Amino acid sequence: MAESGPSLALDHTVRTAMRDLAGASGAAWLDGPMHALADLGGPLPAGIALAAAALFATVRTRRAYPIAIAAGSVLVVMIAVIGGKDLIGRPGPSESPVPADGWGFFPSGHTATSTVCYGIAALLLGRVGSARAGRYWATGAAVLCFLIGFALLWCDYHWLADVLASWALCAIVLRAAARVADAGGLRPRPPAAPPSPSPRGTPPSCSR
């Protein structure tokens, strides 16, 4: 990833295409929204979303499982991302050398932060709500994370492989978090059964 590899040619091809697209006539108005989307991958907005979802799920379930799942997932991703950046030391799209005391660009920290935070938030909210609501949360989180990854490429902050690696890492963590939630009994509520109809002609009973 730092010097040679089969993905580097694809990285350069995608970067050139994104630079051409960003510089195309009529696309300048997208620059502001793309930078705003990239900022949503930062630790502050993503962390606030995850903290709110974990707190809400904890209150609803009256159990500490949601907070433990959220904290554990973020910790695993943070260790993996920092370790990868430090060990691999890949330069960013500007291809400036990575300082001796700095971190590389592989994998993408913003992509990993957004995916694990919004993904776990959607998982927790889906587990304390209905199955249908859970599908909506999951779809919304997936779309948002895709847009953030696309914005990072548009803004020339990361290579394609940086983004894909973080998505792959977070997919493993999200899968593991879902298994932990299942083991802890955090599952979507089943649909409420309709009330049984009273026999025709029989008035409802009342208690004194």
Side-chain angles (χ1 to χ4, degrees), residues 61 63-74 76 120 123-124 127 171-188:
T61 60
R63 302 173 67 187
Y65 258 110
I67 293 179
I69 291 173
S73 300
V74 170
V76 169
I120 294 295
L123 171 68
L124 295 177
R127 293 308 172 94
I172 298 172
V173 174
L174 288 169
R175 180 64 176 172
R179 288 180 176 270
V180 172
D182 288 339
L186 293 179
R187 295 183 176 86

Side-chain angles (χ1 to χ4, degrees), residues 7-17 90 95 159:
S7 69
L8 297 188
L10 178 60
D11 283 339
H12 284 278
T13 300
V14 170
R15 180 180 185 248
T16 299
R90 186 187 189 190
E95 300 195 62
W159 301 102

